[in-house]
Amino acid sequence: MPPGSSRAVTPLDDDDYPAYPMGRAAEMLGTTPAFLRALGEHRLTTPLRSQSGHRRYARYQLRIAARARELVDQGTPIEAACRIVIPEGQLEEAMRINEELRAQDREQPKTSA
């Protein structure tokens, strides 16, 4: 259990756990399975496959797909939306890492030379 938590951590707490089948993922995003397949064809998302071969999406993939859908809804072609979303995610991750490193630096006591 996480500190201060009274409930057990489950696979559903894991952003990377492929919990959502394609139909449910499409429903959650308000889109179609064909849209999700198109994102896969453009290599924006790569869902895992169940033993029976069905696509299963993790929460982080749904966030990526939701951003792509926003762009498509604004009139951006799907190919361009996929090219935009990838560097946005990379920038977000780099900023997160940068902030973590700054926080670590602030926590370390300063030594004089």
Side-chain angles (χ1 to χ4, degrees), residues 33-49:
F35 179 79
L36 292 174
R37 282 191 294 275
L39 295 181
E41 290 168 10
H42 292 289
R43 296 191 174 104
L44 183 61
T45 60
T46 306
L48 292 177
R49 298 281 183 150

Side-chain angles (χ1 to χ4, degrees), residues 15-86:
D15 243 16
D16 296 323
Y17 183 73
Y20 305 98
M22 179 180 275
R24 178 69 178 125
E27 178 184 316
M28 290 169 66
L29 295 171
T31 189
T32 63
F35 179 79
L36 292 174
R37 282 191 294 275
L39 295 181
E41 290 168 10
H42 292 289
R43 296 191 174 104
L44 183 61
T45 60
T46 306
L48 292 177
R49 298 281 183 150
S50 67
Q51 288 182 346
S52 58
H54 298 282
R55 291 173 180 88
R56 304 214 28 114
Y57 293 85
R59 282 196 313 243
Y60 84 89
Q61 292 172 319
L62 296 182
R63 285 193 300 274
I64 291 168
R67 176 62 180 136
R69 179 169 185 244
E70 286 175 15
L71 292 169
V72 169
D73 287 350
Q74 294 170 5
T76 306
I78 194 165
E79 300 84 11
C82 291
R83 288 194 309 268
I84 291 168
V85 171
I86 291 169

Side-chain angles (χ1 to χ4, degrees), residues 1-23:
M1 275 186 266
S5 175
S6 60
R7 66 180 185 86
V9 176
T10 68
L12 294 177
D13 295 320
D14 182 357
D15 243 16
D16 296 323
Y17 183 73
Y20 305 98
M22 179 180 275

